[in-house]
């Protein structure tokens, strides 16, 4: 009844209705075109951002490769699982092809993640969230070459290389079985933003994670947010991970 009343009193004649309908059509078209422009503008911004991130990762890779000369990286891709997802074996070798260090990385299609975007899921998703992640299986530097920051540089190199292949995966995970797994300043994973999934508290001195004693091997997660690669690039430029070697 209200609709009939509206049309009979507002539109006294057919011409008035046509004018109203024409104006409404123009308004809808303008709104639709604006939404389309916003949508494609957001896509453009996203693509530009992704291109910038990819360029930053490429810069990091080139910096580390140059810093490591005359040593070089040897990368092998192989399949050892039924899901058809490859693992990557990255070695740093010297001029005699002797292995200085090695990192192995895998893609996990479905992993129960207890941190999303750097925050715990305990309150909203107590059971965690199923996500596609990149896993650092292991990282080792042979004893004669330890103490030269090769470990963290290999880790950064491996993460950059794999993320160039899988740019849409924004989570890295690993099991930290190192002696300094609870340290925030002397642990290479902590330096790159890896944190325990079940983070309890920071010690009063701000240097260690409380409640992690005896929990070596606990899973850590890193979220590759918008500024992760940019911040990492500038840290390398400022010799944070190179022992002042002048990258």
């Amino acid at each position: 009844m209200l609709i009939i009343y509206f049309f009979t009193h507002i539109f006294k004649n057919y011409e008035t209705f046509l004018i109203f309908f024409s104006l409404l059509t123009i308004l809808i078209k303008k709104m639709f075109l604006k939404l389309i422009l916003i949508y494609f503008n957001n896509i453009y911004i996203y693509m530009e951002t992704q291109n910038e991130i990819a360029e930053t990762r490429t810069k990091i890779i080139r910096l580390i490769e140059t810093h490591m000369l005359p040593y070089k990286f040897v990368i092998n891709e192989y399949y050892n699982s039924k899901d058809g997802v490859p693992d990557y074996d990255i070695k740093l070798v010297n001029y005699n092809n002797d292995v200085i260090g090695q990192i192995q990385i895998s893609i996990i299609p479905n992993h129960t993640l207890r941190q999303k975007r750097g925050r715990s899921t305990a309150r909203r998703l107590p059971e965690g969230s199923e996500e596609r992640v990149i896993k650092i299986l292991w990282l080792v530097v042979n004893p004669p070459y330890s103490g030269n920051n090769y470990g963290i540089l290999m880790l950064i190199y491996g993460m950059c290389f794999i993320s160039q292949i899988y740019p849409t995966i924004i989570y890295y995970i690993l099991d930290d079985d190192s002696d300094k797994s609870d340290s925030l300043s002397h642990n290479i994973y902590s330096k790159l933003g890896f944190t325990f999934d079940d983070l309890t508290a920071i010690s009063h001195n701000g240097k260690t994670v409380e409640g992690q004693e005896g929990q070596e091997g606990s899973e850590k997660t890193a979220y590759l947010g918008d500024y992760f690669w940019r911040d990492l690039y500038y840290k390398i430029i400022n010799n944070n991970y190179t022992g002042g070697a002048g990258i």
Side-chain angles (χ1 to χ4, degrees), residues 46-61:
Y46 173 79
M47 293 302 294
E48 284 291 300
T49 301
Q50 293 306 307
N51 288 336
E52 289 176 5
I53 291 173
E55 289 176 3
T56 301
R57 284 194 295 256
T58 299
K59 288 179 181 178
I60 294 173
I61 288 172

Side-chain angles (χ1 to χ4, degrees), residues 65-110:
E65 286 178 340
T66 301
H67 175 70
M68 290 299 189
L69 291 174
Y71 303 155
K72 63 181 180 179
F73 289 95
V74 177
I75 302 169
N76 292 305
E77 175 185 327
Y78 60 93
Y79 295 81
N80 62 359
S81 59
K82 296 179 181 179
D83 53 23
V85 179
D87 288 351
Y88 296 87
D89 184 73
I90 302 174
K91 296 177 182 177
L92 178 65
V93 301
N94 63 16
Y95 31 79
N96 292 321
N97 285 326
D98 298 324
V99 176
I100 295 171
Q102 187 172 0
I103 182 171
Q104 196 170 85
I105 302 174
S106 182
I107 311 301
I108 310 298
N110 293 293

Side-chain angles (χ1 to χ4, degrees), residues 37-54:
L37 288 173
I38 292 173
Y39 174 75
F40 281 104
N41 185 58
N42 288 338
I43 291 178
Y44 175 77
I45 293 173
Y46 173 79
M47 293 302 294
E48 284 291 300
T49 301
Q50 293 306 307
N51 288 336
E52 289 176 5
I53 291 173

Side-chain angles (χ1 to χ4, degrees), residues 171-201:
Y171 298 103
Y172 272 80
I173 63 170
L174 56 84
D175 290 323
D176 188 358
D177 58 359
S178 64
D179 296 334
K180 298 177 181 178
S181 61
D182 64 338
S183 173
L184 296 176
S185 59
H186 296 93
N187 179 273
I188 65 172
Y189 306 121
S190 297
K191 290 179 179 179
L192 294 184
F194 284 89
T195 58
F196 285 105
D197 273 1
D198 298 318
L199 181 62
T200 53

